[in-house]
Amino acid sequence: MRRKGDLPTKTCATCGKPFAWRKKWAAVWDEVRYCSDRCRSARRGIGKEN
């Protein structure tokens, strides 16, 4: 079993915080850019108040 500190990490394109690899991202890790759905939505402009 791996420790969380041994997993690969990336920096979120929206908030700039680091996030770690998740098993559900195993097949698409190269394409993952955001740490959460909230950051992904905010980047696209969805849900922003005018």
Side-chain angles (χ1 to χ4, degrees):
M1 188 168 175
R2 287 184 160 190
R3 289 182 289 164
K4 189 167 186 162
D6 295 337
L7 297 174
T9 61
K10 288 187 178 184
T11 303
C12 180
T14 302
C15 66
K17 293 181 181 179
F19 61 96
W21 181 90
R22 295 181 185 173
K23 189 174 181 177
K24 69 179 183 179
W25 292 336
V28 293
W29 179 243
D30 293 334
E31 300 168 14
V32 175
R33 295 180 52 198
Y34 308 105
C35 63
S36 65
D37 287 336
R38 182 178 182 182
C39 282
R40 186 166 37 95
S41 296
R43 188 64 169 200
R44 288 193 208 156
I46 297 171
K48 286 188 178 179
E49 296 178 6
N50 292 332

